[in-house]
Amino acid sequence: MKRKIAVLCMVAFAAVAVFGEAGIGITGTVEWDTLEIKAEVSLDLASVGIRLPSGRSQGEALVHSGYLRLIQQGIRDLQVDSSSTIGDLIGRGDLNLHDTETYAVRAHSVPPALSPDLRNICAAYTISIDSITSSLLRHSRPLEITRTLNPVSAPVYTGIIIIATEPLPIYSMRSSALAVPCLFPKIWDTEMNLIFERNMLDTDRTAMVRYATGRSIFQDNPSGLSPEITALVGDRPMRIFARGVFGINPTDIIIDHNDSLQIISSAENRRLLSQGRVAIILDDSVLRKEL
C-alpha cells in the first residue's frame, strides 16, 4: 500500500497546480457512484527546506494541514440540489466553515509515504459523501409520499431503477442535457407532480438515491444487475426510463406519469422511495468530477 501511495505521490505532484504555500498540491475526484471524495496531497520537501530523516514528522504535519486547507474548495463545490452547492449553503448561513472542516477531519486516510526518489511526501484521504448527506437531513419525521385519488393496479416491486444515461429534454426549454448527480435530487412526473424529495426520506436513511453506470444493469447474470445494485433494489425492481430533467442544474429527474402511478398507487411501492431504494443510472462522464 505504501508503495502505491508513493507512486500516486509522484503522479500527483507532477500534475497538480500548487496552491497557497509553495510545494503543496492536491489532486482527486468526487466519485458519485461510490459516494466518496478521494484526494491525494503532495509536498515537495526541498521547497519548504525539509531534510530527511529528521524532518519527516514536520513534512507529514505539513501534508495534513495542507489537506485540511486545500480540500475545502472541493467540499464547497459539492452539488447539494439543483440550485445549491455546499458553498451556497455557507453563504446563506445554513452551514459554516467549521462544518466543512468537520467533513474533512472525518476522512479515512492512508499514512503519508515518501516517493521513491525521497523528494516528495504524499498522503491519501477518502471522505464519505454519505456522512455529508446525513448531516444535511434536518427533518425529524418524513413527509408522506404523494398518493393518488385513482390508484392503478401495480406489482409490488423491491426497488426502483431510473435510467437516465442519454441527453434528456430540459423542462420548459428547447434544449437537452445529461442528468447530473447531487445529494438531494427530486423526482417529478411528466405532469410536474413532485413524487420524491429529501423530506420524504426516512430519518434513519443517509441517501435518497444511489448513482451507477449503465454497466451495473447489463451484467452477465439472470437479473442483469451488479451485486451492488441488487443489494439496493432487490431482485424485482421497477425499471423506468427518465423522460426529462429539471432544475437550474439538471439534477432533478422527470419520469412518465404512468410510471409514477405505478409507484404511488401502493403503500409497498411508496415505501421504496422513503427507504431510498432508488438507483439512478447516469452517463459515465458525469459520475466522476476532478477536484
Side-chain angles (χ1 to χ4, degrees):
M1 178 62 75
K2 285 190 175 182
R3 176 70 178 179
K4 181 178 179 181
I5 296 302
V7 173
L8 283 172
C9 179
M10 292 287 287
V11 174
F13 188 78
V16 74
V18 175
F19 298 86
E21 59 189 273
I24 297 181
I26 188 169
T27 59
T29 53
V30 178
E31 301 183 0
W32 287 99
D33 52 345
T34 61
L35 291 178
E36 293 177 330
I37 301 174
K38 294 183 177 179
E40 295 90 38
V41 177
S42 59
L43 171 67
D44 181 338
L45 297 172
S47 70
V48 291
I50 290 178
R51 293 185 177 183
L52 297 174
S54 60
R56 177 159 183 166
S57 295
Q58 181 186 359
E60 292 180 357
L62 285 175
V63 166
H64 186 64
S65 63
Y67 155 74
L68 293 176
R69 176 170 53 83
L70 297 174
I71 197 63
Q72 295 300 313
Q73 188 60 52
I75 294 174
R76 288 196 292 268
D77 289 342
L78 199 65
Q79 197 71 40
V80 175
D81 53 34
S82 69
S83 61
S84 302
T85 63
I86 293 290
D88 294 327
L89 298 186
I90 293 172
R92 296 201 296 261
D94 297 329
L95 285 176
N96 57 53
L97 292 176
H98 175 71
D99 293 312
T100 62
E101 292 171 358
T102 299
Y103 302 148
V105 168
R106 290 176 179 172
H108 171 75
S109 61
V110 176
L114 291 168
S115 62
D117 62 7
L118 305 181
R119 293 181 178 178
N120 309 311
I121 191 168
C122 181
Y125 300 84
T126 301
I127 299 173
S128 167
I129 293 178
D130 263 348
S131 67
I132 299 175
T133 302
S134 62
S135 73
L136 297 175
L137 289 171
R138 306 288 172 80
H139 58 281
S140 57
R141 295 181 61 186
L143 295 178
E144 188 174 349
I145 303 292
T146 301
R147 301 189 182 197
T148 176
L149 295 176
N150 299 299
V152 300
S153 177
V156 175
Y157 296 104
T158 57
I160 300 168
I161 296 173
I162 302 176
I163 303 169
T165 55
E166 302 293 330
L168 295 165
I170 303 173
Y171 180 75
S172 78
M173 299 181 66
R174 295 181 179 178
S175 59
S176 61
L178 286 170
V180 298
C182 71
L183 300 183
F184 301 116
K186 293 179 180 178
I187 299 175
W188 306 78
D189 71 9
T190 45
E191 295 186 2
M192 296 314 291
N193 298 305
L194 181 59
I195 305 302
F196 189 36
E197 56 104 351
R198 74 169 82 178
N199 292 312
M200 298 174 183
L201 189 69
D202 283 350
T203 52
D204 60 346
R205 305 290 169 173
T206 59
M208 285 182 64
V209 304
R210 298 285 173 168
Y211 294 104
T213 68
R215 293 186 299 276
S216 65
I217 59 171
F218 293 108
Q219 298 284 301
D220 186 17
N221 59 50
S223 71
L225 304 178
S226 69
E228 294 79 11
I229 293 296
T230 301
L232 176 68
V233 302
D235 56 2
R236 299 186 314 279
M238 180 182 186
R239 290 172 167 86
I240 300 172
F241 283 95
R243 298 302 182 188
V245 290
F246 181 56
I248 296 174
N249 290 286
T251 60
D252 296 353
I253 303 294
I254 300 173
I255 63 174
D256 190 85
H257 178 63
N258 290 328
D259 289 329
S260 73
L261 289 177
Q262 293 278 310
I263 298 172
I264 66 176
S265 289
S266 73
E268 293 85 356
N269 291 342
R270 289 194 298 272
R271 196 173 297 120
L272 299 176
L273 295 177
S274 63
Q275 293 178 347
R277 296 189 178 277
V278 181
I280 298 181
I281 311 303
L282 299 181
D283 184 77
D284 289 20
S285 65
V286 303
L287 289 173
R288 301 286 177 98
K289 181 181 178 182
E290 298 296 321
L291 288 178

